Amino acid sequence: MNRLTILAVRLALLGAFLAAWEMLPRHGVLDARMLPPLGDVLRMLVDVLGRPRVQEAIGVSAGEFAVAFLIAIPLGAAIGILIAENDYLGEIFKPMLFYVFSVPKSIFLPMFILVFGIGFQQKVAYAAFSTVFIVIMSATAAVESVKADHLLVARSYGATRAQIIGRVYLPSMMPVLLEALRLSMIFNFTGVLIAEMYASRTGIGQLIANWGENFQMPQLFAGVVFLATVAIVFNESIRWLEAQCSAWRT
Amino acid sequence: MQRLANLSAARTDAGPTAIEVAGLSHVYDGREGKVPALEDIAMTVGAGRFVVIVGPSGCGKTSLLMMLAGLRRPSEGAILCNGRPIPSPDPERVGVVFQEASLFPWLSAQDNVEFPLALRHAPRAERRRRATDMLDLVGLQGFGGRYPHELSGGMKQRVAIARGLVQDPPVLLMDEPFAALDEQTRMTMGHELLRIWSQTLKTVVFITHSLTEAVYLADEVLVMSARPGRIIDRIAIALPRPRTYDMMATDTFGRLRDRIWQQIRTAD
């Protein structure tokens, strides 16, 4: 199958899905109270995005997301690089991190509420906590993806330490780092939303949980469409960046 | 110090010398204590000579080459390169060509060759010009824009040679540069290397596992023993230059290769 056919089939499937979403509830095949027609959801989305309370909630969530990200990325990267570069620390901590990585982070959420109360700090702390492990793992993998041969070549041409970092480490690690950025954004996003849905006074996650509890299905689906769009746009932007520098990856 | 003085005296007596090694031994810390890797290595390489080192796997050939490049320090002994010690890498005196896959995959062929110059902040125009000259020299005119994954194995090693020569060092060290190539490409590359060598008048120290390659390329072959590596034979290759593929079928060529083989077999 050529690329055009594949694209056409994909678009057709998407179109069919959206059409079904609009038609089936509209004509009573599906219960419109459980699944409002797409047109109603989109109208509600425009309406909801215009409300100050919703805009404020989005702002709060975005703030939590940004701060958690700014904590988790440098912290995780520093720990990951330390573990990868130092054999001693690596032998001790790597297995432990693997164990902790496998544990679902959401079970720690009640503890974060006990320690930080309910609010901005608790959301940020929990989101950073649920993100930092994937950053550590990825940073370790990124450092280990640097080839010893390349370091030797750079040294044999008299590269300084700074030159080795800038001209060998960074470009070698770039594809893995971008992948790490993408994954950690997903983890971070999920962390913020779960924390807000579980217990919160504001934030887009809290709104969605609330709409769900109150059976406000058009609002609920508007929120879902909004968050799904944001997540996909983020994800695809980084994938695009990855594609830019992955020509030589294979 | 006395040893260094002797070395310098010897050098002035015996004409221009590119590399001198005396009393070099190396011991490294392995899992089961100290492991002797190299023992009492002495060698002299005249300027413009092509010297090939052969020996069983793990005999310390690569370690020795790393020491000649200033990338590693021996436990004992002296190395002089163009009359001076080489405690750390000096690309103006020594260029190195490594085994396969040493090109940076995120740089074009041109940028790979420019890499050593970029490290020294050479002006862009000069970098361009020198790298282009080197790519021409190794027979890669017009391939500067290609990335390593777009080049064949032989072409990649041509780029690596161009990179090794770009700062015009008098000495070129080569660590099994053609080991990963198929037999035919390998022969062609050996021939090409001799052409480049005769055009640039470099001193070459070349490590290989291939006895045919050793005899075909070398002025002199140094045979090393299994660990701890020692030089157990020095064989002058008196075949005329320029070398041709026909020479490989001659009795002289066969006898030289057999002699090296016998030495390596007993050494292993």
Side-chain angles (χ1 to χ4, degrees), chain B residues 189-208:
Chain B
M189 285 304 296
H191 201 69
E192 278 290 283
L193 178 61
L194 288 183
R195 175 185 65 76
I196 294 163
W197 172 65
S198 66
Q199 277 175 259
T200 55
L201 308 170
K202 301 294 176 196
T203 307
V204 178
V205 177
F206 187 105
I207 289 179
T208 183

Side-chain angles (χ1 to χ4, degrees), chain A residues 147 149-160 163 167-169 171-172 247-250, chain B residues 66 71 89 91 96 98 100-106 115-116 118-121 149 163-164 167:
Chain A
K147 289 204 171 106
D149 285 355
H150 292 153
L151 297 175
L152 197 61
V153 169
R155 280 184 51 217
S156 79
Y157 290 110
T160 61
Q163 283 175 326
R167 288 177 180 271
V168 183
Y169 269 91
S172 298
W248 45 266
R249 198 178 179 182
T250 44
Chain B
M66 295 295 117
L71 283 163
V96 192
F98 294 93
E100 51 159 349
S102 74
L103 297 182
F104 300 118
W106 56 87
F115 182 81
L119 291 182
R120 309 171 71 81
H121 309 290
H149 73 274
R163 182 172 66 184
Q167 295 193 83

Side-chain angles (χ1 to χ4, degrees), chain B residues 22-261:
Chain B
L24 183 148
S25 293
H26 191 63
V27 177
Y28 68 87
D29 291 315
R31 273 187 191 275
E32 279 113 38
K34 304 238 180 254
V35 182
L38 292 166
E39 206 170 83
D40 200 26
I41 303 280
M43 60 188 269
T44 305
V45 181
R49 300 268 287 173
F50 199 122
V51 172
V52 174
I53 302 176
V54 296
S57 300
C59 74
K61 306 185 291 280
T62 296
S63 294
L64 178 58
L65 204 80
M66 295 295 117
M67 288 166 192
L68 295 180
L71 283 163
R72 222 179 274 174
R73 284 197 196 213
S75 317
E76 246 183 85
I79 297 173
L80 292 185
C81 178
N82 289 85
R84 283 180 293 142
I86 183 153
S88 62
D90 182 352
E92 303 227 304
R93 284 196 285 160
V94 177
V96 192
V97 177
F98 294 93
Q99 297 181 26
E100 51 159 349
S102 74
L103 297 182
F104 300 118
W106 56 87
L107 296 180
S108 66
Q110 173 90 25
D111 288 338
N112 263 290
V113 179
E114 284 184 25
F115 182 81
L117 302 173
L119 291 182
R120 309 171 71 81
H121 309 290
R124 176 165 288 269
E126 187 200 326
R127 266 158 44 186
R128 288 274 113 148
R129 184 179 53 76
R130 291 205 52 86
T132 310
D133 287 352
M134 284 305 119
L135 286 170
D136 288 356
L137 174 71
V138 300
L140 287 179
Q141 298 92 327
F143 284 93
R146 299 274 191 101
Y147 283 81
H149 73 274
E150 300 171 310
L151 299 172
S152 69
M155 289 161 104
K156 279 187 221 173
Q157 284 312 79
R158 285 174 196 256
V159 176
I161 292 170
R163 182 172 66 184
L165 290 172
V166 75
Q167 295 193 83
D168 204 22
V171 173
L172 191 62
L173 305 178
M174 307 183 82
D175 185 12
E176 297 191 52
F178 309 143
L181 304 178
D182 63 78
E183 191 66 25
Q184 279 176 320
T185 313
R186 187 173 194 155
M187 296 308 299
T188 318
M189 285 304 296
H191 201 69
E192 278 290 283
L193 178 61
L194 288 183
R195 175 185 65 76
I196 294 163
W197 172 65
S198 66
Q199 277 175 259
T200 55
L201 308 170
K202 301 294 176 196
T203 307
V204 178
V205 177
F206 187 105
I207 289 179
T208 183
H209 272 110
S210 161
L211 304 186
T212 307
E213 192 173 64
V215 176
Y216 186 68
L217 297 175
D219 289 323
E220 185 181 24
V221 176
L222 304 181
V223 183
M224 286 179 69
S225 67
R227 186 187 300 147
R230 283 168 294 114
I231 294 178
I232 50 172
D233 201 3
R234 297 158 205 265
I235 300 160
I237 308 295
L239 295 166
R241 304 255 184 205
R243 302 273 161 88
T244 60
Y245 295 127
D246 301 340
M247 289 178 187
M248 292 183 202
T250 62
D251 287 345
T252 322
F253 196 96
R255 268 199 304 278
L256 286 165
R257 194 176 45 198
D258 282 346
R259 178 170 160 199
I260 300 171
W261 172 230

